């Protein structure tokens, strides 16, 4: 059973456009929601993360929007660049430093120049 | 810091052979995770350790898979005997707070 559901599976965006990736979860005990970015041949790397006490977190061109009542969160990439082309994973955990992450299936983003 | 170190980076072996993947976590990190990544199944957690103790191995697919963490700076994932369906990229990750850092992965091909 997939604890975190991610969509779309793939996304093609033109340079300068906005990329939006969505995730949904069921377990209300989750309280830590990171996004990871993975380039071909590399391991995933933490991009940005949010706790449910805020509805939005922004770091540069990357923004997480969080809707606690809907149990959904999304990643927005503003002014998308070809260098953003990668696979993006959302994840969730209970927030304990001893717990595990539950990952979504990933979204392959391609940004055309 | 060198980050999480994995070896070998690539491994090609024949069905039935034993395969050992190695991981050196980031110094000071007290949690270590082994993942497997395939196109079909995505990123799967196989097992994780806290303070060198295995906490959850429910993701280990079969008894052919085993993992050890004899000390805070080293872990192994062993597959014996290996099968073609074990072909995947295996990642090790370590963590101290909530930030999980992944290694570069080992690409395993079982012929």
């Amino acid at each position: 059973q997939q604890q975190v559901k991610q969509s779309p599976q793939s996304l093609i965006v033109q340079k300068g456009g906005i990329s939006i990736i969505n995730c949904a979860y069921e377990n209300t005990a989750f309280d830590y929601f990171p996004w990871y970015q993975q380039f071909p041949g590399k391991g995933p790397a933490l991009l940005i993360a949010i706790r449910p006490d805020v509805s939005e977190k922004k770091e540069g061109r990357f923004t997480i929007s969080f809707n606690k009542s809907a149990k959904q969160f999304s990643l927005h990439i503003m002014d998308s660049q070809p260098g953003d082309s990668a696979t993006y994973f959302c994840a969730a955990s209970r927030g304990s430093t001893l717990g595990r992450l539950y990952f979504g299936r990933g979204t392959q983003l391609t940004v055309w120049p | 810091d060198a980050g999480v170190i994995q070896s070998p980076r690539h491994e090609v072996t024949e069905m039935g052979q034993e395969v050992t993947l190695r991981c050196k976590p980031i110094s000071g990190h007290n949690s270590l995770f082994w993942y497997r990544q395939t196109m079909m199944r995505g990123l799967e957690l196989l097992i994780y350790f806290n303070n060198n103790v295995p906490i959850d191995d429910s993701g280990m697919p079969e008894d052919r898979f085993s993992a050890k963490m004899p000390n805070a700076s080293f872990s192994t994932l062993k597959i014996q005997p290996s099968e073609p369906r074990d072909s995947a990229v295996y990642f090790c990750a370590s963590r101290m707070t909530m930030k999980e850092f992944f290694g570069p992965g080992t690409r395993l091909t079982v012929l």
Side-chain angles (χ1 to χ4, degrees):
Chain A
Q1 181 184 0
Q2 196 76 16
Q3 295 268 0
V4 178
K5 296 182 180 179
Q6 183 173 347
S7 62
Q9 188 173 352
S10 62
L11 181 62
I12 300 174
V13 173
Q14 203 151 18
K15 179 182 176 182
I18 302 174
S19 303
I20 302 175
I21 304 170
N22 301 298
C23 285
Y25 64 97
E26 286 298 325
N27 191 338
T28 55
F30 288 153
D31 62 357
Y32 175 70
F33 303 90
W35 284 88
Y36 280 76
Q37 179 188 54
Q38 184 180 27
F39 291 106
K42 306 290 186 182
L46 179 64
L47 185 63
I48 186 173
I50 196 169
R51 297 258 187 197
D53 52 343
V54 296
S55 60
E56 185 175 283
K57 183 174 182 180
K58 184 176 181 179
E59 290 185 2
R61 297 183 294 106
F62 299 90
T63 300
I64 299 179
S65 296
F66 185 81
N67 186 329
K68 188 173 181 178
S69 61
K71 292 185 286 186
Q72 296 176 347
F73 58 110
S74 59
L75 177 69
H76 296 235
I77 306 174
M78 311 300 288
D79 186 27
S80 299
Q81 299 297 312
D84 297 330
S85 297
T87 300
Y88 292 82
F89 294 92
C90 62
S93 79
R94 292 193 181 92
S96 163
T97 55
L98 299 179
R100 58 159 292 180
L101 286 172
Y102 293 87
F103 281 91
R105 290 297 303 271
T107 296
Q108 188 167 349
L109 171 66
T110 302
V111 181
W112 287 99
Chain B
D1 199 318
V4 176
I5 299 173
Q6 291 187 246
S7 65
R9 293 294 311 278
H10 301 272
E11 176 81 29
V12 180
T13 190
E14 292 188 346
M15 183 174 63
Q17 296 298 305
E18 177 179 298
V19 174
T20 299
L21 310 182
R22 297 173 176 78
C23 175
K24 177 178 170 56
I26 294 173
S27 177
H29 284 194
N30 58 0
S31 296
L32 184 139
F33 304 80
W34 282 101
Y35 292 89
R36 178 171 68 176
Q37 186 174 36
T38 61
M39 289 294 292
M40 290 295 294
R41 301 176 68 88
L43 197 58
E44 302 174 273
L45 177 68
L46 301 177
I47 184 172
Y48 76 97
F49 298 82
N50 285 335
N51 297 313
N52 313 338
V53 176
I55 301 300
D56 183 354
D57 65 355
S58 60
M60 298 285 262
E62 302 170 31
D63 291 344
R64 299 183 297 106
F65 286 68
S66 63
K68 293 182 180 179
M69 191 165 186
N71 57 62
S73 59
F74 184 67
S75 177
T76 59
L77 177 68
K78 186 176 293 186
I79 308 173
Q80 166 63 19
S82 59
E83 297 183 2
R85 60 193 167 123
D86 301 331
S87 298
V89 180
Y90 290 82
F91 289 104
C92 175
S94 72
R95 188 177 81 193
M96 183 174 65
T97 58
M98 290 309 299
K99 294 183 180 180
E100 201 160 308
F101 293 85
F102 283 74
T106 295
R107 180 172 294 278
L108 173 65
T109 302
V110 183
L111 303 175

